[in-house]
Amino acid sequence: MSTEATSPTPRPGILDISAYVPGKEHAPGVAKVHKLSSNETPLGASPAAIEAFQKAAFQLERYPDGQATLLRDSIASVYGLNPANIMCGNGSDELLGLLCTVYLGAGDEGIITEHGFSVYKIQIKAAGGTPVTVKEKDCRIDVDAILAAVTERTKIVFLTNPGNPTGTYIPVSEVRRLQAGLPKTVLLVLDAAYAEYVRTNDYEAGVELVSSSRNVVMTRTFSKVYGLAALRVGWMYAPQAVISAVNRIRAPFNINAPAIAAASVAIRDLGFIERAVAHNTEWMEKVVDGLKEIGLTVTPSVTNFVLIHFPDAEGRRARDADEYLTQRGYILRAVSGYGFPNALRMTIGTQEACEGVLAALRGFVSRLA
Ligand SMILES: *Cc1c(COP(=O)(O)O)cnc(C)c1O
């Protein structure tokens, strides 16, 4: 028998989990900081959404609508969906966690991909499950490798599509092939946090696939192109049986009233979204061209961020670039925890931020020439 515990003890596995590491926020001693580490939009939120948020301040004594009806109806009308198949969450992170709690038990496996979002691993473990990591191919999800990893214990598969931090995507034909090859008992979660930015014809976030199957869920977020990361709002589109199961365990008032009010307006402000995407498309192209001109390698991205690869040479590595850029007020994201020890992820920011990073990296690369 082990020695008797003298304080409350977390259940087995909890202390093996490494906590999520958010993007850096500060550059000590630098007056002006450009935070390009968390894929936040440089354009803020829709003014109409901000106004709705401010109005909500005068009813803070009231509980929010536990069904978030206004928001679910707004999402449903913009996307042409049945609101009964939509559930909102305190960020899509909450929904990803709830899905793990509902579908995974001790000994069950959840498949994640090599460079997938780190939150899945935490939530699979928190639910008592075992994460099984599948290799990607050239920074892209490999459907055959996922299918080969499925066992009797597999209960859930997480796809980040487009990927974060890779910025790559797999076409809808590949997602369909994956769904067709999975046992019907395995839940396929399509995390489409960056779907609004994608401009290629062969990509789909997953609406059709959810509608036509019983084991697919699509998650979306208001944290990226809508500029509402501070409010924590995400949603999922899911089959009725999934909604019904998750509804039993979610917190009764999981999204707050100001968030419901602001997001309901934000999703209808299509002009604002269009401008945000246009800014991103323009500056993504300029940043990628600029980085290549400097001689750096980038992974082609369909999102609002880009993975920059550095040479494996003393003084020129990602770690050196990170320090150099931070000293100049440009905060990018180190991604060694995602399998990229020698790369940085850069969010497309304002014109000033993008031009500033390019100028700084030109200096970084040429200082050793
Ligand atoms: C940013 C992001 C999310 C969004 O999370 P929220 O909890 O909705 O803020 C989800 N998945 C991925 C891959 C992301 O990068």
Side-chain angles (χ1 to χ4, degrees):
M1 225 191 100
S2 62
T3 51
E4 219 162 285
T6 54
S7 59
T9 310
R11 62 184 164 74
I14 296 296
L15 298 184
D16 301 331
I17 298 173
S18 311
Y20 181 78
V21 183
K24 262 196 305 189
E25 277 183 66
H26 302 289
V30 183
K32 172 134 198 193
V33 168
H34 296 276
K35 183 170 180 254
L36 307 173
S37 59
S38 299
N39 300 339
E40 295 147 337
T41 173
L43 304 179
S46 147
I50 295 171
E51 198 185 316
F53 173 82
Q54 285 169 330
K55 268 198 195 140
F58 296 96
Q59 281 209 320
L60 295 183
E61 74 286 2
R62 294 190 55 182
Y63 275 95
D65 168 15
Q67 311 299 322
T69 307
L70 176 65
L71 179 53
R72 286 169 42 242
D73 286 350
S74 302
I75 295 167
S77 86
V78 169
Y79 283 93
L81 307 174
N82 181 348
N85 292 97
I86 294 172
M87 182 185 288
C88 299
N90 188 37
S92 47
D93 284 353
E94 183 195 21
L95 299 169
L96 300 168
L98 288 169
L99 290 169
C100 287
T101 308
V102 168
Y103 291 98
L104 283 173
D108 290 337
E109 294 171 356
I111 295 181
I112 55 182
T113 67
E114 187 181 4
H115 306 298
F117 193 34
S118 61
V119 164
Y120 315 142
K121 189 188 257 183
I122 295 173
Q123 290 170 336
I124 290 169
K125 286 185 178 174
T130 305
V132 173
T133 305
V134 169
K135 282 270 179 217
E136 296 191 11
K137 220 189 219 162
D138 297 331
C139 294
R140 209 162 259 125
I141 289 167
D142 181 347
V143 164
D144 293 306
I146 294 175
L147 289 172
V150 173
T151 72
E152 278 167 16
R153 310 197 126 187
T154 308
K155 293 288 156 58
I156 197 162
V157 174
F158 284 105
L159 287 197
T160 328
N161 193 33
N164 172 15
T166 58
T168 65
Y169 75 102
I170 57 169
V172 62
S173 55
E174 280 292 280
V175 181
R176 282 220 184 87
R177 194 164 71 80
L178 173 60
Q179 192 271 338
L182 285 177
K184 298 204 173 353
T185 50
V186 173
L187 186 72
L188 174 60
V189 181
L190 307 174
D191 179 348
Y194 301 93
E196 292 82 0
Y197 287 111
V198 185
R199 281 290 163 271
T200 58
N201 292 330
D202 57 351
Y203 173 81
E204 275 177 33
V207 167
E208 301 288 321
L209 213 60
V210 173
S211 300
S212 61
S213 45
R214 297 169 69 177
N215 65 331
V216 183
V217 168
M218 171 189 75
T219 62
R220 303 289 286 265
T221 183
F222 282 91
S223 301
K224 304 289 155 56
V225 76
Y226 296 98
L228 296 176
L231 291 185
R232 315 302 307 122
V233 198
W235 57 281
M236 68 173 175
Y237 177 52
Q240 203 48 62
V242 174
I243 298 278
S244 161
V246 177
N247 242 330
R248 293 161 204 265
I249 63 157
R250 71 172 173 88
F253 305 102
N254 60 335
I255 350 184
N256 66 76
I260 292 172
S264 302
V265 171
I267 198 152
R268 292 177 190 273
D269 194 345
L270 302 179
F272 180 84
I273 303 305
E274 208 174 291
R275 287 190 295 281
V277 172
H279 169 87
N280 187 69
T281 305
E282 178 186 351
W283 282 96
M284 174 62 81
E285 198 181 316
K286 289 182 174 160
V287 165
V288 168
D289 287 350
L291 291 167
K292 286 181 180 164
E293 233 176 78
I294 293 167
L296 294 166
T297 310
V298 296
T299 301
S301 170
V302 295
T303 63
N304 68 331
F305 57 86
V306 62
L307 195 59
I308 312 170
H309 303 271
F310 288 83
D312 191 15
E314 193 54 41
R316 292 169 184 267
R317 298 190 176 104
R319 156 164 47 83
D320 307 308
D322 194 16
E323 198 184 305
Y324 187 91
L325 289 169
T326 302
Q327 283 165 0
R328 285 155 184 80
Y330 302 104
I331 304 183
L332 275 61
R333 177 65 162 263
V335 283
S336 45
Y338 290 84
F340 295 108
N342 210 17
L344 295 176
R345 190 192 68 193
M346 171 189 173
T347 307
I348 298 300
T350 57
Q351 170 172 353
E352 186 193 355
C354 291
E355 288 175 342
V357 170
L358 289 175
L361 282 176
R362 215 168 280 124
F364 170 75
V365 167
S366 64
R367 83 200 194 289
L368 294 179

